[in-house]
Each structure stands twice: as C-alpha cells, then as structure tokens.
C-alpha cells in the first residue's frame, strides 16, 4: 500500500469538484432565452448576456476562478515543503466549506451572508499561506 494522502490534498480535490459543479451549473443556468443551443454549440462570437440567477452564477464562477489558483498554489507549496499541520488543515477546510456555501448563497441573491461566507473562505486561504511561512 502507498502512503496516506493528506487531508489537505483531499480538500484540494474537493475544491476542484466545487469548481466543476460551478461550471456546469453556470452553463446550464445560462442556456435558454438568447443563449439557445445553436449559440451555445457555436463559436459564440457575439456576446449574449444573461441576467438574474444565471448572471449571479456566472459571477460566482469567475470569483472562484480568481481564488482557486491561489489556494491550489499555496496548498501545494505547503505539501511539497512538508508544512502541513493545524493551519493548513483548518485553512483548507474553511476555504472549501466557504466556497461550497458561497455558490448557492450567491445564486439565491443572499447578499450579506454571502459576503461573510466569502470572507471565511479567504481567511482559510490566508491560513494556508501563513502556514507556509512558519
């Protein structure tokens, strides 16, 4: 048997799954109306905006794509340098839980709680970064 996989790497893959779910959810919500199948299957040369829930899901996805590379780089740096511990475990957990909760809150239009949850995910990311420099 191989060595045990650190929980932090499992959380990294959980974040990848969250990203995939967001991609599919945003694409599904953005179909219909002006974004019919022909447009979705084509080159999409002309922009066709969405509104409401679809627009919120699109913005949530863009937000995820801004933070995920930072989280992944910080966590992988900690794994490679063997700086895993309480900070990385709880930090990665906060990031993943925050990101998982952020999307449905944003899609539902819940503003203040969504911002608090986003902040929790960023605190988790910062915890991982701090762990690297300890």
């Amino acid at each position: 048997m191989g060595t045990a996989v650190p929980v932090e790497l499992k959380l990294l893959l959980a974040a990848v799954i969250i990203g995939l779910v967001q991609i599919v959810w945003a694409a599904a919500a953005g179909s219909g109306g002006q974004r019919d199948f022909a447009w979705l299957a084509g080159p999409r040369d002309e922009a066709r905006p969405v509104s409401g829930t679809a627009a919120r899901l699109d913005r949530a996805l863009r937000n995820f794509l801004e933070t995920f590379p930072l989280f992944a780089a910080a966590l992988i740096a900690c794994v490679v340098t063997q700086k895993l511990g309480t900070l990385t475990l709880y930090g990665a957990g906060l990031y993943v839980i925050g990101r998982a909760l952020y999307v449905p809150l944003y899609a539902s239009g819940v503003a203040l709680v969504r911002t608090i949850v986003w902040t929790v995910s960023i605190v988790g990311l910062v915890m991982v970064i701090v762990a690297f420099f300890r």
Side-chain angles (χ1 to χ4, degrees):
M1 292 264 170
T3 57
V5 175
V7 174
E8 290 89 343
L9 286 180
K10 292 178 182 179
L11 288 166
L12 178 61
L13 268 288
V16 169
I17 292 167
I18 291 167
L20 288 172
V21 168
Q22 280 192 252
I23 290 168
V24 171
W25 195 5
S31 63
Q34 291 184 11
R35 289 183 168 191
D36 57 10
F37 181 76
W39 181 83
L40 290 169
R44 302 181 190 183
D45 289 335
E46 76 282 347
R48 292 194 180 171
V50 291
S51 61
T53 301
R56 289 191 297 273
L57 286 168
D58 189 53
R59 289 190 300 272
L61 175 59
R62 281 186 282 145
N63 183 271
F64 176 81
L65 295 174
E66 291 170 354
T67 65
F68 177 74
L70 305 175
F71 171 69
L75 194 56
I76 291 169
C78 287
V79 169
V80 168
T81 58
Q82 299 179 349
K83 294 194 174 186
L84 299 179
T86 304
L87 273 177
T88 57
L89 179 63
Y90 287 109
L94 285 174
Y95 178 82
V96 170
I97 291 168
R99 294 314 309 193
L101 294 174
Y102 179 81
V103 181
L105 287 169
Y106 203 156
S108 301
V110 180
L112 180 59
V113 176
R114 177 198 84 213
T115 302
I116 293 168
V117 168
W118 176 86
T119 302
V120 166
S121 74
I122 296 304
V123 167
L125 171 58
V126 170
M127 288 170 69
V128 173
I129 293 167
V130 167
F132 179 80
F133 288 105
R134 284 189 136 191

